[in-house]
Amino acid sequence: RNRGGILLSMRIALFVTCLMDQFRPDAAEATVSVLEQCGCEVVFDPRQTCCGQPAFNAGLHQDAIPVCKGTVRILHDQLTRGGCDAIVTPSGSCAAMFRHAIELLDGEDAIAAKRVSEATFELSDFLVRRLDRVELGASWPGRVAWHDACHGLRELGIKSGPRRLLEAVDGLELVESTTCERCCGFGGTFSVSLPGVSVGMADDKIDELETLGIDAVVSGDASCLMQLEGRLEARGSRIRGVHLAEILAAREAPMSVKS
């Protein structure tokens, strides 16, 4: 495809996610910037809503079905009628939910869910595996630790990709945490039904992060960042939470400004 003399490699349907839309719009915009910088044409269907994951993870499958079905139909329409080559989302947990949608739905909707699932990528996975891009020209001076979000790590197998992307960022120092693979305690409705356990899990990670001398904890899921940022703020920590997309889109991020 060619637009204004610029060769566009792929047409991408952006699935922005509920939490990103409501709580981290800057990260959503950064996702678009990163994809466009890689030569992709990004399109967004404003009819999209939730993927159904909160209800699904709580065991309320019947409540999840109509929500999931509606979103699957919209994304499938973007693939078939909208000419999109792939679906990209800045959330491993939402990307993983579309895999569950295959079994959650039936008939034509299950067939559509299979196609949507096969075409959906978490942002870092798409950049590294599909586009074979690591060097994005980003500049972000600071010392950071990566948090492996549960769904991205355990359901999608995302591990080295985000680290390779971060290591290629000019001025950034990546520090490994021994608790990087440990759950932050959010778990959707888990954090509401068992708040004491949820807070304890977050604090367990933060206890170590505080010893690393980092400026930020970085993740690919807004839900994890919301959980960790809440506890960091409550503890009066200087560490902030930053979404991977925000770093990849940055050309410089002054450490005195909280994201």
Side-chain angles (χ1 to χ4, degrees):
R1 295 185 180 90
N2 190 292
R3 176 188 288 176
I6 299 175
L7 182 63
L8 301 174
S9 60
M10 300 181 74
R11 182 176 172 89
I12 302 301
L14 174 68
F15 181 65
V16 76
T17 86
C18 301
L19 290 181
M20 193 72 77
D21 180 47
Q22 297 296 317
F23 298 105
R24 300 194 81 94
D26 288 348
E29 292 178 3
T31 299
V32 175
S33 296
V34 169
L35 291 171
E36 289 182 340
Q37 184 182 338
C38 291
C40 296
E41 177 187 6
V42 183
V43 296
F44 172 77
D45 191 322
R47 296 176 299 161
Q48 67 179 243
T49 57
C50 180
C51 63
Q53 182 191 142
F56 180 82
N57 286 352
L60 303 173
H61 291 187
Q62 290 305 309
D63 293 321
I65 287 174
V67 182
C68 180
K69 182 186 298 185
T71 297
V72 163
R73 288 179 176 179
I74 290 168
L75 293 175
H76 185 258
D77 185 61
Q78 288 191 275
L79 293 173
T80 55
R81 299 182 183 180
C84 290
D85 302 297
I87 300 162
V88 176
T89 178
S91 166
S93 59
C94 292
M97 179 60 200
F98 291 122
R99 296 187 177 188
H100 296 295
I102 300 172
E103 299 177 0
L104 187 65
L105 306 179
D106 55 24
E108 292 296 321
D109 289 312
I111 296 172
K114 185 176 187 297
R115 180 164 183 181
V116 167
S117 174
E118 293 172 345
T120 299
F121 295 82
E122 181 271 341
L123 177 63
S124 70
D125 197 38
F126 180 74
L127 294 172
V128 176
R129 286 203 308 116
R130 188 69 185 271
L131 295 186
D132 194 26
R133 292 288 301 270
V134 174
E135 296 276 355
L136 300 177
S139 176
W140 201 96
R143 183 178 168 93
V144 309
W146 172 256
H147 164 65
D148 292 290
C150 291
H151 289 86
L153 176 66
R154 294 171 176 83
E155 294 199 50
L156 302 179
I158 296 172
K159 178 69 175 178
S160 64
R163 289 170 169 81
R164 291 178 61 194
L165 289 164
L166 289 172
E167 287 169 350
V169 174
D170 184 52
L172 183 146
E173 179 183 0
L174 178 62
V175 181
E176 280 294 338
S177 161
T178 61
T179 61
C180 60
E181 295 186 4
R182 198 172 298 173
C183 180
C184 68
F186 181 69
T189 55
F190 172 82
S191 61
V192 177
S193 58
L194 294 170
V197 178
S198 174
V199 167
M201 293 172 72
D203 283 352
D204 183 54
K205 292 181 67 73
I206 293 171
D207 285 342
E208 187 204 6
L209 294 177
E210 291 280 18
T211 70
L212 301 179
I214 60 172
D215 301 295
V217 56
V218 185
S219 184
D221 264 85
S223 55
C224 297
L225 290 173
M226 186 166 65
Q227 167 81 345
L228 293 172
E229 284 178 312
R231 289 305 301 156
L232 287 166
E233 184 174 350
R235 291 167 55 134
S237 176
R238 63 177 291 275
I239 300 173
R240 57 178 171 145
V242 183
H243 193 280
L244 176 64
E246 296 175 287
I247 287 183
L248 299 181
R251 293 302 172 262
E252 185 170 349
M255 298 313 302
S256 59
V257 179
K258 201 163 185 178
S259 175

